[in-house]
Amino acid sequence: MRAAVLAATVGVLAEHGLAGTTVGAVARAAGVHETSLYRRWRTRENLILDALSEQADAALPVPDTGRVRDDLAAYFAALARLLATAQGEALLRLSAERDETLPDRRLPYWTERLERGAVMVRRGVERGELAPDTDPALVVEALAGPLFTRALISGAPLGEAYASHLVDLVLGGALPRDRPAPETPAPE
């Protein structure tokens, strides 16, 4: 039942957006009773976050190419693609909304996803590609922030070239001091 409900949630999000994704709509799409959903997820937000968590994990594999720059470029290009979808937009909107009456699941959700990026940065430090004092969380936040800003606020296009340019820009500040900055391709 869980898999069917989560798939139905993503489908309803894609078709009707965040506002149209109600527990009733998901229950109808999944062919289950609404009370079953409330019993398991308690709130609409919990249901949507669970569905989007599963989708994000599948959409954002952690690459290991042997080069931190290539790993981060691939990961953040995949994140840019996800954020450009209806599901990604819903995830961002849910993340930006605050409801003081509900337990906040956003911090654990984003902490888990950003930790996946930090793994790649730590590997780059271990290989000597980045300075030993590089803060993996700060590098990941510096990369994710502009993507989230574009997706939520400016509406400027997201894409692989933009993600690649961000990676080069951020990594330039994390290189060991005895190395030249990587050549940055011109953004599209």
Side-chain angles (χ1 to χ4, degrees):
M1 178 187 107
R2 181 178 182 273
V5 169
L6 296 181
T9 304
V10 171
V12 172
L13 270 168
E15 189 174 339
H16 301 288
L18 187 57
T21 304
T22 64
V23 172
V26 171
R28 284 187 296 281
V32 299
H33 199 277
E34 215 172 304
T35 57
S36 298
L37 301 186
Y38 279 113
R39 220 179 355 263
R40 180 164 185 141
W41 284 277
R42 296 184 49 221
T43 68
R44 167 186 173 265
E45 290 75 13
N46 286 342
L47 172 61
I48 293 170
L49 273 175
D50 197 12
L52 293 176
S53 295
E54 199 151 289
Q55 183 186 26
D57 290 344
L60 297 172
V62 178
D64 189 0
T65 65
R67 288 191 60 212
V68 68
R69 188 238 173 259
D70 295 343
D71 291 348
L72 291 170
Y75 186 79
F76 283 95
L79 178 58
R81 284 189 299 275
L82 176 64
L83 294 176
T85 67
Q87 296 90 338
E89 182 180 332
L91 181 56
L92 281 174
R93 298 243 178 262
L94 250 182
S95 296
E97 291 176 5
R98 292 213 182 271
D99 184 340
E100 302 304 324
T101 66
L102 299 171
D104 194 349
R105 291 189 51 205
R106 293 172 300 185
L107 181 60
Y109 174 85
W110 284 112
T111 300
E112 290 170 19
R113 265 89 221 139
L114 295 176
E115 174 56 28
R116 299 171 95 199
V119 166
M120 293 176 276
V121 176
R122 281 193 286 278
R123 286 192 311 234
V125 170
E126 290 166 5
R127 290 190 298 255
E129 296 175 86
L130 301 176
D133 62 346
T134 298
D135 180 341
L138 183 59
V139 169
V140 172
E141 289 172 9
L143 291 166
L147 286 175
F148 295 162
T149 299
R150 270 193 178 206
L152 271 173
I153 298 169
S154 77
L158 297 171
E160 194 169 319
Y162 179 69
S164 181
H165 183 69
L166 278 175
V167 168
D168 290 337
L169 181 68
V170 171
L171 288 186
L175 289 173
R177 304 304 177 244
D178 61 347
R179 276 197 197 169
E183 289 187 31
T184 304
E188 291 179 1

